[in-house]
Amino acid sequence: IRFCLANEELFLTQIRAILRASFFGETKILLPLITNHQEIIKSREIIKIAIGQLKSKKIKFDENIKVGAMIEVPSAAISISSLLPYLDFASLGTNDLIQYTLAIDRTNSKVSNIYDPEHPAILNLIKHVVKTCNENNCPISICGELAGDIKKISYLLKIGLRNFSMNYSEILKVKEKILN
């Protein structure tokens, strides 16, 4: 999001394209790497500009498009309640959340062994985000490797997650686990 906000014209082009696509089917805008509510406010201002531009050209789009944030950095997870007034939905990006919380590079073989989705800090952050979103009627989903880990599905359901985004190769296994 920092790159987008620093390059407003490029961001406007992307938002206009998303808005135009929204005319043809359900579309949402998911803002990446959000760290604070000011980034959401500024993004929404740019979205409003794009909406005005399309309206002035009489280009059709979904005027009720939803705007959400990817919760993938510790600052966003910890301060989720300050973000919710500006969001229509949220998505927990677990791969990056784990990496940034544990200060590791999961692609670096020298430290990837400490990539631990079951670390108490990770589980507490996820639980906090889900609980806060559910208490505030903000739809929350989870994506990343954790969403497709059948060993974690029971826990994720128990804490209130109902929407999962995963690699297509995991869907049948996860569905079977949930049904059983």
Side-chain angles (χ1 to χ4, degrees):
I1 198 64
R2 292 175 192 142
F3 178 83
C4 291
L5 295 176
N7 296 277
E8 240 179 81
E9 285 304 313
L10 178 63
F11 194 29
L12 269 168
T13 300
Q14 293 173 334
I15 296 299
R16 283 192 306 266
I18 294 169
L19 288 168
R20 289 175 67 177
S22 74
F23 176 73
F24 299 100
E26 184 181 355
T27 307
K28 298 177 183 178
I29 298 172
L30 182 61
L31 304 170
L33 286 169
I34 291 295
T35 61
N36 61 61
H37 70 279
Q38 288 89 358
E39 292 166 333
I40 302 169
I41 292 169
K42 181 64 178 166
S43 295
R44 282 192 171 272
E45 289 170 2
I46 293 170
I47 293 167
K48 278 186 182 179
I49 292 168
I51 287 171
Q53 292 172 341
L54 293 182
K55 281 184 175 182
S56 72
K57 294 180 180 179
K58 297 184 179 7
I59 297 172
K60 295 180 180 180
F61 62 95
D62 177 3
E63 293 191 32
N64 297 309
I65 195 163
K66 304 288 186 216
V67 177
M70 183 67 82
I71 309 302
E72 55 194 332
V73 296
S75 61
I78 292 166
S79 64
I80 187 67
S81 61
S82 70
L83 305 179
L84 292 182
Y86 309 98
L87 298 174
D88 298 314
F89 67 97
S91 181
L92 265 165
T94 58
N95 292 349
D96 287 338
L97 184 62
I98 295 166
Q99 179 171 292
Y100 298 140
T101 303
L102 299 180
I104 61 151
D105 176 357
R106 62 192 177 105
T107 63
N108 181 333
S109 61
K110 294 179 181 175
V111 293
S112 62
N113 62 313
I114 58 175
Y115 182 86
D116 181 10
E118 294 185 31
H119 190 286
I122 302 303
L123 297 177
N124 284 336
L125 282 175
I126 291 171
K127 188 175 181 179
H128 169 68
V129 170
V130 172
K131 181 178 186 244
T132 304
C133 286
N134 286 339
E135 286 173 349
N136 288 277
N137 297 313
C138 179
I140 178 74
S141 62
I142 185 169
C143 64
E145 291 173 23
L146 190 60
D149 185 341
I150 60 168
K151 295 178 286 187
K152 307 292 185 309
I153 294 300
S154 295
Y155 173 76
L156 297 173
L157 289 169
K158 182 180 173 183
I159 64 169
L161 277 162
R162 296 296 180 264
N163 295 301
F164 297 74
S165 174
M166 65 196 71
N167 188 309
Y168 72 91
S169 63
E170 304 299 325
I171 293 172
L172 292 177
K173 291 184 267 187
V174 169
K175 185 176 180 179
E176 182 179 13
K177 174 73 173 174
I178 290 171
L179 292 174
N180 288 329

